[in-house]
Amino acid sequence: MTQVFYSSTLFGAMTLAAAMDAGRFGPHEGRRILLVSNNAAIPEVTPSLDEAPGFSALRPRFDEVWSWNEIIAPLHPSDWKARVVEVPMLERLVRSHLSLGEGAGELVLESVAVPPARTVAALVRDCPITVYSDGLMSYGPTRDPLPLETSGRITRLLHLDLVPELTPLLLREVGVAPDPLPDEAFRRVLAEMPPPTGLSGEAVILGQYLSALDIVTAEEEAELHADMLRALAARGHRSVLFKPHPAAGGHHARLLREVARELGVELCVAGDTVPAEACFSALRPQLVVGCFSTALVTASRLFGIPVATMGCDLVLERLAPYENSNRVPVTIVDATVPRLSLDGSITEPPEVELRALVEAVGFCMQSEHYPALREVAAGYIETHGAQARYFKNRRLASVGLLPEPVRPSRDRPLARLRRALSR
């Protein structure tokens, strides 16, 4: 049996390796093909995951590695999807390109609701699909409805057990059961990775690509990184490692170096292809700070490193539309991770019923697809009120958890006078 695995990040490939080692895909008897996609804004200048130094440790688990970018060039993986009339032809082409013969025995995908994974699912057909999730998004609802020919093939959801008290909402609406991966399997994979060299830092700043997602402006994101550095300096850290997001480009690091010089802080920048977890393992920093990166949770859960968040309030205010799939990850981090202030102080977040909060937010995001969560959401709102941090009154009203707001009359005074005189 040929198994086709798809991944767009090194962390995702590490998750696949952990699942293989944990026996989730059975013995390695047939062909195992890894389909790699580079989803960076400009993939031509951004290294793909199979070009990362750490990939050499994962490579023996796969018989073949193919680039999805090369298969569909010059189209961008995140934008292109096959038109309905093209699917039969393109299916034959993909099958021929990958030498699949009569087809694959299993297809393993991440982020199945959106291209490129959704596109791959449409072209590698007639086989069961396993979805794997390597981050906090697994705890949120499915981003977009799936076509029946895809959702009907999904048999399970593999995920890292990052927040043990939560059960993923992802794919729950189509009856897919989640299957958590053991922490130890992922730790063993990480131990195989070559340690990064030339890195230093008492603390770590995790970069994201919030401005690229139009959540904040580029200037606001740069200022957020600068505030993180200022807060770490206020805490007495004189050397800091900045771990940029692989898809963010190099401008964040350049701007942060200027702030570091002003503060007298030694700033080291990790390479784009170095996993954050490899940095944690090599440096064992005293503190890891970020906005709502999944790496905040892996630092705490897998390594026992203290973590803190900064900027969640801004992101929660700016996320639009309400269904934005980043909403649950930022909610989880905001509700559970200590908060770092500009003066260097760290405060614990208020206590919260995390499961009820996440399910209430998930219901408000996709109420039509998760009607079973209405009672939980209503109970949470009744107990805790419509917390403006996590809920918007207009959204609560639109899903029936608050009365519709009374809209002010737009009648002009003259029109009201005419009506009165005509009575």
Side-chain angles (χ1 to χ4, degrees):
M1 178 181 73
T2 299
Q3 295 169 308
V4 178
F5 299 84
Y6 163 86
S7 184
S8 63
T9 66
L10 184 60
F11 189 81
M14 293 165 62
T15 304
L16 286 176
M20 291 177 182
D21 295 350
R24 295 302 199 271
F25 297 109
H28 188 168
E29 295 176 344
R31 291 167 65 216
R32 285 182 171 173
I33 299 173
L34 177 63
L35 198 57
V36 172
S37 179
N38 186 341
N39 301 338
I42 310 177
E44 292 80 5
V45 299
T46 306
S48 183
L49 75 90
D50 57 324
E51 298 172 327
F55 183 73
S56 58
L58 311 179
R59 180 64 178 82
R61 293 174 172 84
F62 303 98
D63 300 295
E64 303 167 30
V65 178
W66 293 90
S67 168
W68 183 246
N69 295 64
E70 292 179 5
I71 293 174
I72 68 169
L75 303 170
H76 194 285
S78 297
D79 299 330
W80 178 75
K81 59 182 179 180
R83 293 182 298 174
V84 174
V85 296
E86 299 172 334
V87 168
M89 175 190 69
L90 293 173
E91 179 193 7
R92 292 195 302 272
L93 289 175
V94 170
R95 185 180 297 184
S96 174
H97 193 91
L98 300 180
S99 301
L100 293 179
E102 294 302 314
E106 182 178 15
L107 178 62
V108 185
L109 299 170
E110 64 181 13
S111 304
V112 69
V114 294
R118 184 168 179 150
T119 305
V120 174
L123 299 180
V124 181
R125 308 170 76 186
D126 301 324
C127 65
I129 295 176
T130 290
V131 173
Y132 73 96
S133 178
D134 52 26
L136 293 174
M137 281 192 183
S138 65
Y139 297 107
T142 310
R143 175 173 168 177
D144 295 309
L146 294 171
L148 182 59
E149 57 266 28
T150 297
S151 63
R153 294 161 55 196
I154 302 174
T155 59
R156 56 181 173 165
L157 169 66
L158 301 177
H159 68 100
L160 295 176
D161 199 16
L162 298 173
V163 190
E165 59 264 47
L166 294 180
T167 301
L169 290 178
L170 183 65
L171 299 172
R172 187 186 297 184
E173 77 281 10
V174 292
V176 176
D179 182 4
L181 299 173
D183 293 347
E184 192 53 40
F186 188 82
R187 289 193 184 97
R188 285 195 297 267
V189 170
L190 187 59
E192 297 178 21
M193 308 289 286
T197 58
L199 300 184
S200 61
E202 304 167 354
V204 173
I205 293 176
L206 299 171
Q208 291 180 250
Y209 57 115
L210 306 178
S211 56
L213 297 176
D214 292 326
I215 297 175
V216 299
T217 66
E219 293 76 16
E220 288 170 328
E221 186 165 19
E223 189 61 23
L224 177 58
H225 292 153
D227 283 348
M228 291 177 183
L229 187 58
R230 295 183 184 110
L232 290 174
R235 291 183 63 80
H237 296 292
R238 309 317 303 168
S239 65
V240 175
L241 175 73
F242 178 55
K243 173 62 187 78
H245 191 279
H251 62 286
H252 289 159
R254 290 193 295 271
L255 295 171
L256 201 56
R257 282 194 176 98
E258 298 176 8
V259 179
R261 282 194 293 270
E262 296 172 4
L263 295 172
V265 173
E266 178 186 347
L267 184 72
C268 182
V269 179
D272 292 344
T273 57
V274 177
E277 289 72 21
C279 300
F280 304 154
S281 180
L283 298 180
R284 297 289 171 166
Q286 299 171 26
L287 181 65
V288 174
V289 62
C291 187
F292 64 96
S293 170
T294 292
L296 285 170
V297 182
T298 58
S300 175
R301 178 162 173 77
L302 299 180
F303 298 93
I305 298 171
V307 296
T309 179
M310 179 181 277
C312 281
D313 50 350
L314 174 64
V315 173
L316 285 168
E317 177 188 340
R318 296 289 182 82
L319 275 182
Y322 193 88
E323 305 96 293
N324 190 303
S325 54
N326 289 292
R327 187 169 299 279
V328 164
V330 70
T331 296
I332 292 172
V333 170
D334 183 71
T336 61
V337 175
R339 300 167 183 175
L340 177 65
S341 298
L342 193 55
D343 63 3
S345 62
I346 294 179
T347 56
E348 293 291 330
E351 290 190 15
V352 67
E353 297 177 65
L354 184 62
R355 181 168 183 169
L357 170 61
V358 169
E359 292 191 344
V361 170
F363 172 77
C364 291
M365 290 173 67
Q366 300 286 352
S367 60
E368 293 183 3
H369 304 297
Y370 296 83
L373 297 180
R374 174 176 291 277
E375 186 176 343
V376 174
Y380 187 88
I381 298 300
E382 182 179 353
T383 303
H384 302 280
Q387 299 162 296
R389 197 176 187 90
Y390 303 121
F391 305 98
K392 306 299 181 185
N393 283 347
R394 181 177 297 179
R395 188 67 178 185
L396 291 172
S398 71
V399 299
L401 294 180
L402 277 184
E404 288 282 355
V406 178
R407 299 184 182 276
S409 173
R410 295 192 178 186
D411 284 353
R412 295 180 180 180
L414 184 57
R416 291 199 299 269
L417 177 60
R418 287 172 176 165
R419 284 199 298 272
L421 293 175
S422 66
R423 291 171 184 168

